[in-house]
Amino acid sequence: MKLTFRDVHVAYPGRETPALIGVNIEIAAGQRVALVGRNGSGKSTLILTANGILRPQQGAVMLDGQPVQYDRRGLAALRRCVGVVFQDPDDQLFTANVYQDLSLGPLNLGLSQAEARQRVLQAAEQCGLSHLLDRPTHSLSGGEKARAAIAGVLAMTPRFLFVDELLHHLDPWVRREVLRLLCDLASAGCAVVLATHDWALVRTWAQHVIWLEAGRIFRQGHPSAVLTGPECPDLEGAPC
Amino acid sequence: MGLQIDAFAYANRLSRLHPAYKAGCSLLALCACLVLDRPLASVIVLVLMLALTTVWAGVPWRAVAKLLFAEGSFLLAGVLGIALTVSPSPTPGSVSVGGMWVGVSAQSLAQAVAVFLRALGSVAALNFLALTTPVPDLLEWLRRLRVPEVLVELMGLIYRFTFVLLDSLGHMTLAHEVRLGFASQRATLRSAALIGANLFIQAFRRSQRLEVALRSRAWNGSLRVLPWQDAPRPQR
Amino acid sequence: MTRRHVFQVSLTLLVLLGLSAQPALAKPPQMHIMEGFLPPLWAALWFAVALPFWVIGIVQIQRLTREKPEARLLLGLAGAFAFVLSALKLPSVTGSCSHPTGTGLGAILFGPFISSVLGGIVLLFQALLLAHGGLTTLGANAVSMGIVGPIAGWLVWRGLRSRLNEGVVVFLAAALANLLTYVVTSGQLAVAHPDPAGGVAASFAKFGAIFALTQIPLAISEGLLTVLIFRALRQNAPAELRALGVQEA
Ligand SMILES: Nc1ncnc2c1ncn2[C@@H]1O[C@H](COP(=O)(O)OP(=O)(O)O)[C@@H](O)[C@H]1O
Ligand SMILES: [Mg+2]
């Protein structure tokens, strides 16, 4: 499966400069992609566009070569394949306990209760949440909340998973767990796109880097090719 | 910033028991207190409910006592209005206040004590329910009792968001505290207003982010989730 | 009981009250009527009074969420906001915040019926999570705090907004909502527990006098607080306010 952006322009209403300008990308199944760039460079906008929350004014988002249809059915089909995990888990955990929250997505897809339950248990297992299913959401730790947010999306069995700066609140141990989970997902054939500011991680983890500057693609390609030169903040010496 | 009562509701020996039993117990005790309306009955209910909460459910008695003491002190202020009598002519032990005689009569005192005990018994019954029953269980039960779906759903959202906002409130309060925002009464009022306004703005923006997150999960307008009763309950 | 006996008992009562004043002052009694304080008939009567408001409110919420499914998120956050406001740290002379500010904002945003439903839910959670108020007294509390108070505030806001300075209107709306809550609660207590000699009127005076101690300063500070909150919102979030349908005065 392939997700393609062809010459995508996205502007927010009431903003003069578009947030994405002529973006061309292609993401293949099982790929590990890093999305980097300054604050406000358009990473979140790209993610929302991939999921169909934002609609490009120009250009097209394509799934396996077919342009996305922005009607009810087309969007449902897109969102079945493309999942998003947001920065703040509290923005996406709706119910008072983990179990019910995980079931929201599968039920939205129109699955039966039995199938939905199956999906929930599976996603929980995958994210190591099985023992927390009956816990109230507000009693979870930061890492557990992050994993619950991921599991809520995995329960919809996406083929492309976009993760927006989720790792930043997590301690290195929990981060490692979450990263391992993302690696497993990629080996299982789900493309993982990680928006992050952690360049060390990008260098070791990513197979493909998309670097945005002010809404445009600045560079993209393999980290060894892209992450060189004086523009890279991590190559400068110690700050003091 | 958590809520202590809520924490006990998940962490007592009865938390897994079907809410209908606990609510039934509590409501029965409440009715007994209110309908019988006898000090003796109230005291029996009080003792019984305290025993159920501490012995059966295993909630630490210190927490139960502290809660009951706080409630009892609220009650005393209310009961004072019953204990005092007002009459146009002097009664034994009364004092004159603005042309009226305010005092205490044996009858009014007895009534005040009766109401106090009745309320204390009822409060203990309510505490039993609150301290042993997780809110999601109660909501699920209400849903089965055919309480309108929109209402149950809204209650669930309010419950969930309460903790999110309490977290934000805690952070903001701390941020003002470290900048001496509560150093004087004036500063406190100002800080409170800033925090309140900020909290409101945050709540509004969060509602927008939540909407985006919902739509990204193929939302079709209803917040349908699996019944909570079917959740696997691992033994811990 | 002899005269001396009465004197002793009342002295004990006063001492107890003095003892209780310490925690009570740290968190002065809100106007919640505690569980078990009302006889069953009065409790039922106040439920009956609140019921029509709730029914209309629920129907309105149903309509609103059918037209705008995302509105339920805002409703949920508005309710949570009203609940959480009671944990706001306020000047110690007035103690903790009651929630006319929260429900008042709800009334301005969603109208009195929907906000009465929000108020009812918040009261239920206050009973279950904070041990303020009660289940059998929920109807009475809902009438005073979730219906009469916010409606009064809403009417003041609607009626005077175009005529007076906005700050003054907001102050009046919030303070009046608070005072009415207090008057209604005193009335509810008085009719349920009339004075044996002086009847309901005397009883109303008694309860009124007892709660005036905390409620009048509270009304004033709540009014001020709401003004300051509103001003901060106007300054920091004009776009949000407009999106919520609060027009410029
Ligand atoms: N809801 C919005 N309305 C208007 N402009 C927005 C909105 N969200 C983001 N922007 C603008 O779009 C640009 C890209 O933002 P974003 O995609 O959030 O960047 P990033 O995620 O890389 O930090 C920024 O200039 C930002 O100010
Ligand atoms: Mg971003």
Side-chain angles (χ1 to χ4, degrees):
Chain A
M1 254 193 147
K2 255 186 198 142
L3 182 70
T4 319
F5 277 40
R6 183 182 295 158
D7 191 31
V8 166
H9 290 250
V10 177
Y12 286 99
R15 283 285 182 122
E16 296 216 341
T17 44
L20 289 182
I21 305 164
V23 169
N24 285 296
I25 56 175
E26 186 171 289
I27 297 162
Q31 214 175 10
R32 296 194 300 267
V33 182
L35 189 55
V36 298
R38 296 165 202 271
N39 289 329
S41 59
K43 300 182 295 296
S44 300
T45 308
L46 188 145
I47 290 174
L48 293 181
T49 311
N51 182 265
I53 303 279
L54 294 175
R55 183 177 181 168
Q57 279 84 27
Q58 196 182 315
V61 177
M62 295 186 294
L63 206 57
D64 269 342
Q66 297 293 315
V68 170
Q69 299 298 310
Y70 288 87
D71 54 15
R72 239 183 121 87
R73 282 184 53 196
L75 282 176
L78 178 66
R79 287 169 188 164
R80 186 185 300 266
C81 295
V82 179
V84 181
V85 182
F86 293 89
Q87 192 163 357
D88 181 357
D90 278 331
D91 284 342
Q92 49 198 322
L93 299 171
F94 290 88
T95 64
N97 54 72
V98 179
Y99 176 75
Q100 291 189 313
D101 195 83
L102 300 199
S103 72
L104 187 78
L107 289 175
N108 283 344
L109 292 179
L111 298 181
S112 73
Q113 293 212 345
E115 286 170 308
R117 187 180 143 85
Q118 196 54 44
R119 290 274 190 98
V120 169
L121 298 184
Q122 203 179 333
E125 177 77 43
Q126 232 174 329
C127 300
L129 286 172
S130 298
H131 61 297
L132 298 177
L133 277 177
D134 64 331
R135 281 273 294 276
T137 318
H138 56 261
S139 75
L140 300 182
S141 70
E144 288 164 347
K145 270 188 190 167
R147 278 185 289 155
I150 296 177
V153 179
L154 290 189
M156 301 171 71
T157 60
R159 310 304 317 237
F160 300 90
L161 182 68
F162 287 78
V163 183
D164 195 353
E165 296 187 27
L166 176 71
L167 301 173
H168 293 179
H169 309 294
L170 304 181
D171 66 52
W173 295 273
V174 175
R175 238 166 81 93
R176 200 163 170 78
E177 272 173 48
V178 173
L179 280 172
R180 188 165 305 140
L181 170 65
L182 294 181
C183 282
D184 291 347
L185 273 177
S187 347
C190 173
V192 178
V193 182
L194 190 59
T196 180
H197 296 308
D198 182 343
W199 285 60
L201 172 71
V202 174
R203 287 177 190 280
T204 54
W205 177 84
Q207 299 168 325
H208 186 83
V209 178
I210 301 173
W211 186 342
L212 289 170
E213 288 279 352
R216 293 176 204 271
I217 303 258
F218 176 58
R219 287 175 187 172
Q220 69 175 320
H222 194 270
S224 62
V226 170
L227 303 183
T228 53
E231 293 89 354
C232 291
D234 62 333
L235 293 183
E236 290 168 13
C240 52
Chain B
M1 207 191 308
L3 295 172
Q4 223 192 358
I5 298 182
D6 183 68
F8 282 121
Y10 289 96
N12 67 86
R13 267 187 243 135
L14 299 183
S15 65
R16 302 288 169 83
L17 192 66
H18 193 285
Y21 297 117
K22 290 175 280 190
C25 230
S26 177
L27 292 179
L28 212 67
L30 261 179
C31 286
C33 264
L34 287 178
V35 176
L36 296 179
D37 196 11
R38 296 269 164 73
L40 184 62
S42 303
V43 171
I44 292 176
V45 167
L46 174 65
V47 172
L48 197 67
M49 292 321 280
L50 286 180
L52 285 185
T53 320
T54 51
V55 179
W56 192 27
V59 180
W61 65 268
R62 265 174 186 286
V64 178
K66 217 173 114 192
L67 193 60
L68 199 70
F69 182 74
E71 289 163 326
S73 55
F74 283 152
L75 274 175
L76 271 182
V79 151
L80 192 66
I82 301 174
L84 296 178
T85 56
V86 182
S87 66
S89 52
T91 49
S94 65
V95 286
S96 160
V97 177
M100 298 294 272
W101 291 87
V102 177
V104 177
S105 74
Q107 186 203 1
S108 73
L109 203 59
Q111 212 210 332
V113 170
V115 171
F116 180 73
L117 289 177
R118 184 181 81 194
L120 211 59
S122 313
V123 158
L126 173 63
N127 289 355
F128 169 72
L129 180 67
L131 285 167
T132 58
T133 316
V135 168
D137 281 3
L138 271 184
L139 295 186
E140 195 66 32
W141 184 54
L142 289 181
R143 188 173 271 135
R144 298 212 171 165
L145 293 179
R146 302 285 160 87
V147 172
E149 180 59 33
V150 266
L151 194 62
V152 179
E153 185 188 284
L154 190 55
M155 288 161 110
L157 288 177
I158 291 181
Y159 177 71
R160 165 79 190 111
F161 295 157
T162 290
F163 292 94
V164 177
L165 290 192
L166 270 179
D167 250 8
S168 308
L169 179 68
H171 294 153
M172 285 193 275
T173 307
L174 210 59
H176 278 261
E177 190 93 61
V178 298
R179 286 180 294 165
L180 299 179
F182 301 105
S184 69
Q185 303 285 353
R186 263 184 93 98
T188 304
L189 186 65
R190 219 171 41 120
S191 295
L194 284 176
I195 292 174
N198 234 338
L199 195 67
F200 184 78
I201 299 170
Q202 277 199 8
F204 178 69
R205 298 208 176 129
R206 197 177 283 281
S207 82
Q208 293 180 317
R209 291 199 300 272
L210 282 160
E211 187 200 333
V212 167
L214 258 187
R215 284 201 282 144
S216 83
R217 281 161 87 181
W219 188 42
N220 47 24
S222 80
L223 273 181
R224 220 154 53 88
V225 290
L226 286 176
W228 169 225
Q229 244 65 40
D230 304 345
R233 309 237 164 158
Q235 294 301 314
R236 256 182 252 117
Chain C
M1 267 198 264
T2 64
R3 204 176 136 173
R4 210 167 125 234
H5 204 137
V6 168
F7 180 72
Q8 277 173 351
V9 173
S10 44
L11 198 70
T12 324
L13 206 70
L14 277 176
V15 170
L16 271 177
L17 194 74
L19 276 182
S20 74
Q22 215 260 316
L25 279 186
K27 220 172 191 199
Q30 306 191 334
M31 287 311 286
H32 293 91
I33 300 179
M34 296 290 281
E35 183 63 90
F37 211 83
L38 294 181
L41 267 180
W42 283 109
L45 180 94
W46 294 115
F47 268 106
V49 174
L51 202 62
F53 288 87
W54 286 340
V55 170
I56 297 177
I58 290 174
V59 170
Q60 285 186 351
I61 291 176
Q62 255 159 353
R63 198 182 313 137
L64 183 67
T65 51
R66 211 175 305 124
E67 285 163 10
K68 274 173 57 184
E70 68 276 12
R72 70 191 82 198
L73 300 173
L74 192 59
L75 285 173
L77 277 160
F81 178 73
F83 181 98
V84 169
L85 266 194
S86 62
L88 195 62
K89 209 167 164 176
L90 281 183
S92 58
V93 271
T94 57
S96 68
C97 184
S98 54
H99 57 250
T101 305
T103 44
L105 264 172
I108 290 177
L109 296 180
F110 305 111
F113 294 106
I114 290 184
S115 88
S116 80
V117 176
L118 291 181
I121 298 176
V122 169
L123 282 168
L124 177 68
F125 283 150
Q126 286 188 319
L128 288 177
L129 301 176
L130 300 177
H132 291 164
L135 297 181
T136 60
T137 52
L138 186 72
N141 286 328
V143 169
S144 67
M145 297 194 221
I147 296 174
V148 174
I151 286 187
W154 184 70
L155 285 178
V156 170
W157 161 259
R158 272 318 206 34
L160 297 181
R161 188 168 40 144
S162 50
R163 272 172 251 166
L164 287 175
N165 173 301
E166 186 174 85
V168 177
V169 179
V170 171
F171 176 82
L172 286 178
L176 190 78
N178 220 313
L179 279 180
L180 264 182
T181 298
Y182 145 70
V183 171
V184 171
T185 308
S186 301
Q188 286 169 331
L189 291 172
V191 291
H193 300 289
D195 190 89
V200 171
S203 182
F204 180 72
K206 284 186 305 191
F207 284 112
I210 291 170
F211 288 114
L213 220 61
T214 54
Q215 289 306 307
I216 289 175
L218 188 61
I220 292 172
S221 80
E222 181 111 1
L224 284 177
L225 178 75
T226 314
V227 171
L228 292 179
I229 288 186
F230 213 81
R231 192 182 294 161
L233 283 177
R234 274 263 184 262
Q235 265 169 19
N236 303 340
E240 276 83 356
L241 279 191
R242 237 173 291 124
L244 287 169
V246 182
Q247 279 83 30
E248 302 291 328

